[in-house]
Amino acid sequence: MTRYLLLFSLFLSFKSFSAVTAWTDFMLDNGHIFLPVSIEGIESRAMLDSGAQINSINRAFVGKHNLTLDSARSVNIKGVFKVEKRRAYNNVKVDIFGTEFELDSLVEASLGHHSNGMLLGAGFFKNFIVQLDYSRSKIRLITRDTVDMGEIANVKAVSQKGSGMPIAEIHINGVALWLRIDTGNAGTILIDRRSASRAGLLEQVEGATTSFGANSSGVNEFATSKAVKFGPFEISDVKVSFPADGQKTNLESQYESAGTRIGGKRVVGLIGYDLLKDFIVTLDYKLGKLHIALPELE
C-alpha cells in the first residue's frame, strides 16, 4: 500500500487545481483551532498546532473506538514541563478537505475528550502558506508561487535553527524577545522567568494559574505588561505568563524530540491565542515568514 508522507497528497491536489483555496470554517474552542476530519472512517476533529513538530492521535479517541493500528517506533516528546516516551502508529487513514491519505509516525497523546481525534503540527503547516482569520474563524491555504512572503512579511520572524519552527521577535515593555509562533497555545504569551524579570513583570505579579503542557502541568504566574509591540502594532495591557519561582520548564524546545540540539536565536517562550486573536495571520512555516493585519470593518 502506498504511503503518503504527511499531507503530501493534499498538497499535490491543491497545487493542481488552485493557488488559493476558498475560505473554510474552522471551530474555535477555548482558543484552539479545530478542523473537521475523518480518522479510520470515523468523523472527528483535528487541532492545528504550529508549535508541534509532530502529528498526534488522541489516546482517548483510540480507546473509545477500540482501534487496532499499526505500531511504529516510539518517540521521546519534550513538553514544557516534562520529557515522556510515547507510542506511535503508521498507516492511519485520514480524510481532510475531502482528500484521503495515510499518516505515518502518528504519536499517541492526551488531547482531552475523545471527540478531539488528532493534532496536526509541522506536517500540515510546512506545505503551504496558511492564512488564519481569527475574527471570522476562517482558514485558507496558499501556494508559495502566489505570494512573496519575503516582500509582504511585516513581523520580524525566522525559522529556528535545528527545529525549523517559526519564531518571531516581539517587544514586551521595550524588551526584545524571540518567541515560538504557537497556535496550540490557547492562553497568554508565555515567557521564561528570566525574561519576565528583564521586562519588569516580576514586581507586578497578579496571580498564578495551573498550566498544562504536552506531558504534564505546572504553575505559572501572570502580570499585565504596559505594551507589547508585535510587527507594526503596539498593544497595551497584554497579559503575560511565566513559570513560578522554582518551576522547571522546557520552553525553548516544547514538542521537540528529545536529544535534538537547537542553535541560533534564543527562544524564551510562546506566542499564543491571546495575542493572535485580533488579527488575520498569514504564516509561511517553512520559510519562517509572518504577516499580520487587522480585519476590515464590515
Side-chain angles (χ1 to χ4, degrees):
M1 182 179 293
T2 302
R3 297 182 181 181
Y4 295 94
L5 295 177
L6 302 173
L7 299 185
F8 188 59
S9 63
L10 173 60
F11 175 67
L12 288 179
S13 298
F14 169 48
K15 182 83 172 179
S16 299
F17 294 107
S18 175
V20 182
T21 68
W23 285 105
T24 300
D25 292 335
F26 64 74
M27 295 165 280
L28 199 57
D29 187 351
N30 291 321
H32 291 296
I33 296 172
F34 288 92
L35 289 175
V37 296
S38 172
I39 306 169
E40 292 290 314
I42 303 166
E43 296 301 314
S44 186
R45 64 180 191 171
M47 185 172 78
L48 298 188
D49 186 355
S50 63
Q53 286 188 289
I54 47 92
N55 294 326
S56 301
I57 189 166
N58 191 359
R59 183 181 293 117
F61 177 85
V62 174
K64 171 68 175 178
H65 300 287
N66 298 312
L67 296 180
T68 301
L69 303 173
D70 295 342
S71 295
R73 185 177 179 180
S74 297
V75 178
N76 287 333
I77 301 298
K78 185 181 290 186
V80 173
F81 303 106
K82 182 182 176 183
V83 177
E84 184 178 72
K85 178 172 282 189
R86 301 276 186 81
R87 70 177 65 183
Y89 303 104
N90 286 335
N91 307 323
V92 180
K93 296 182 178 63
V94 177
D95 187 297
I96 183 170
F97 292 128
T99 299
E100 185 176 291
F101 54 95
E102 292 183 353
L103 278 179
D104 288 341
S105 300
L106 199 57
V107 179
E108 189 175 85
S110 297
L111 301 174
H113 192 267
H114 63 77
S115 60
N116 303 328
M118 65 186 302
L119 176 149
L120 294 174
F124 176 85
F125 282 91
K126 71 180 182 180
N127 284 323
F128 321 101
I129 297 171
V130 178
Q131 194 166 52
L132 298 167
D133 185 339
Y134 278 88
S135 65
R136 297 191 303 144
S137 295
K138 300 280 188 181
I139 182 175
R140 66 177 176 179
L141 309 177
I142 305 170
T143 51
R144 291 187 178 88
D145 57 357
T146 304
V147 176
D148 185 347
M149 285 296 294
E151 185 174 312
I152 71 166
N154 61 359
V155 178
K156 188 176 181 180
V158 297
S159 293
Q160 186 182 23
K161 291 183 179 179
S163 73
M165 303 181 78
I167 57 176
E169 185 183 63
I170 71 170
H171 293 76
I172 300 178
N173 292 341
V175 177
L177 303 171
W178 284 92
L179 308 182
R180 183 161 295 159
I181 304 165
D182 190 355
T183 62
N185 173 20
T188 64
I189 296 170
L190 178 61
I191 60 176
D192 65 22
R193 192 168 180 85
R194 183 170 69 172
S195 300
S197 177
R198 290 175 57 205
L201 297 175
L202 298 188
E203 297 77 23
Q204 302 173 16
V205 173
E206 301 167 21
T209 60
T210 300
S211 176
F212 296 90
N215 304 325
S216 59
S217 62
V219 178
N220 288 334
E221 295 177 335
F222 59 88
T224 301
S225 63
K226 293 181 181 178
V228 169
K229 188 175 186 303
F230 185 33
F233 300 95
E234 186 167 297
I235 308 104
S236 60
D237 301 325
V238 177
K239 187 175 289 186
V240 180
S241 296
F242 40 89
D245 191 20
Q247 176 72 66
K248 294 183 178 180
T249 67
N250 300 308
L251 280 175
E252 77 288 349
S253 51
Q254 186 188 23
Y255 302 117
E256 172 204 340
S257 296
T260 301
R261 187 173 182 178
I262 299 298
K265 299 183 183 299
R266 182 172 180 268
V267 178
V268 299
L270 311 172
I271 293 173
Y273 171 72
D274 278 359
L275 188 62
L276 300 175
K277 65 183 179 181
D278 295 321
F279 296 103
I280 299 173
V281 177
T282 306
L283 173 64
D284 189 332
Y285 183 108
K286 183 177 180 180
L287 300 182
K289 301 295 183 183
L290 178 65
H291 178 275
I292 59 172
L294 292 173
E296 295 181 3
L297 296 176
E298 296 182 357

